[in-house]
Amino acid sequence: MASRLQQIVSHFSSDKVPMAETWQNVPLAPPDSIFKLTTAYKADAFPQKVNLGVGAYRDDQNKPWVLPVVKKATNILLNDPALDHEYLPITGLPEFTSAAARLILGSESVAIKEQRVASAQTISGTGANHLAALFLSRFYTFNGPKQVFVSNPTWANHHAIFRNVGIEPIDYAYYDPKTIGLDFEGFLNALRSAPASSPFLLHACAHNPTGVDPTMEQWEKIADLFLEKKHFAFFDCAYQGFASGDLDRDASA
């Protein structure tokens, strides 16, 4: 046994095997601004503190509030004898992905009826954005440089996600701090001036981080310009049902 241990130690101390120092030049990733804020919040001793950094429900004791429907779904899963934790298909659980498509597009969707909808299950919103951005980077026919137009401001992760797959984010006018509302004309001008067939990242509802959404009438004008310029609409829909309380209304964009 002792000789075997010596062989193992000798093997790992050999010049042929990279040591931990191989990774000493890997730069430390910058801290996430939201989680950094959460860390500071937890360390703050002020009794009346409020954390507005993370989009999550809290009760009166500032504890996470789990939606009753989530608890109900959890109980259903826990008591489902058919749940066997078998490997899923590559694109996810078909019953889940098809239900998600009906939820966001509507059960009467023409695209669904004509079988023009493809769905894939991912890990989290970041995973969904990454997978869609990667697909765009590999298969979309860009009219010029690989770039995507994102609202100013937008969710901070959007920039890193697209740059990670070789697509450069370009800001378009969105929020007007003077009116604390939508810079609608600036938005429309960006759609008009962008090269034809440009990808535009849109927030379906509850725009992150401003909370400012176009009205239905404004969405119709936006849609007209998309058709006119043949732009590609890349929707990030993270808060369906949470903006107005109505799933269909929040998906109407």
Side-chain angles (χ1 to χ4, degrees):
M1 177 63 75
S3 61
R4 180 57 181 155
L5 288 174
Q6 288 175 351
Q7 289 176 355
I8 294 173
V9 170
S10 175
H11 173 74
F12 282 107
S13 61
S14 169
D15 292 338
K16 297 179 182 179
V17 180
M19 300 300 289
E21 287 75 9
T22 300
W23 312 113
Q24 65 184 2
N25 293 323
V26 176
L28 186 66
D32 181 271
S33 57
I34 297 298
F35 287 104
K36 186 178 180 181
L37 182 64
T38 300
T39 301
Y41 166 81
K42 290 179 178 178
D44 191 340
F46 183 62
Q48 294 175 304
K49 62 185 178 180
V50 177
N51 182 7
L52 301 180
V54 177
Y57 284 110
R58 293 286 188 268
D59 60 20
D60 292 337
Q61 285 70 48
N62 205 27
K63 301 296 183 183
W65 184 69
V66 181
L67 294 171
V69 68
V70 174
K71 290 184 176 181
K72 182 178 179 180
T74 301
N75 285 330
I76 292 174
L77 290 173
L78 289 174
N79 293 287
D80 182 0
L83 186 64
D84 55 13
H85 298 282
E86 182 60 273
Y87 280 109
L88 295 178
I90 293 297
T91 54
L93 184 67
E95 294 85 353
F96 173 77
T97 55
S98 60
R102 290 194 300 273
L103 180 70
I104 195 168
L105 297 176
S107 57
E108 299 302 313
S109 166
V110 174
I112 292 178
K113 289 181 178 180
E114 295 179 352
Q115 298 184 339
R116 293 186 288 109
V117 176
S119 303
Q121 187 173 347
T122 65
I123 300 175
S124 76
T126 300
N129 274 272
H130 167 73
L131 193 61
L134 182 61
F135 186 88
L136 205 66
S137 178
R138 289 187 178 181
F139 302 111
Y140 188 68
T141 303
F142 289 84
N143 182 13
K146 284 188 177 183
Q147 57 187 29
V148 61
F149 289 84
V150 299
S151 64
N152 182 20
T154 191
W155 182 43
N157 273 13
H158 283 147
H159 292 87
I161 288 169
F162 280 97
R163 286 189 177 122
N164 249 0
V165 297
I167 301 176
E168 184 60 25
I170 307 294
D171 286 347
Y172 65 82
Y174 189 85
Y175 181 69
D176 185 352
K178 295 178 182 178
T179 62
I180 317 178
L182 178 66
D183 180 2
F184 187 52
E185 285 306 313
F187 188 178
L188 294 183
N189 287 334
L191 291 169
R192 295 187 187 103
S193 61
S197 304
S198 291
F200 271 77
L201 190 148
L202 307 170
H203 299 231
C205 64
H207 180 273
N208 183 0
T210 68
V212 174
D213 295 328
T215 63
M216 275 311 304
E217 292 75 17
Q218 290 172 330
W219 274 121
E220 289 175 2
K221 292 181 179 179
I222 292 168
D224 289 340
L225 271 176
F226 264 84
L227 292 173
E228 179 185 325
K229 293 295 299 279
K230 295 181 171 58
H231 291 323
F232 180 84
F234 184 118
F235 274 104
D236 184 349
C237 184
Y239 303 108
Q240 184 183 356
F242 292 102
S244 67
D246 186 311
L247 285 166
D248 293 332
R249 180 177 176 182
D250 286 354
S252 57

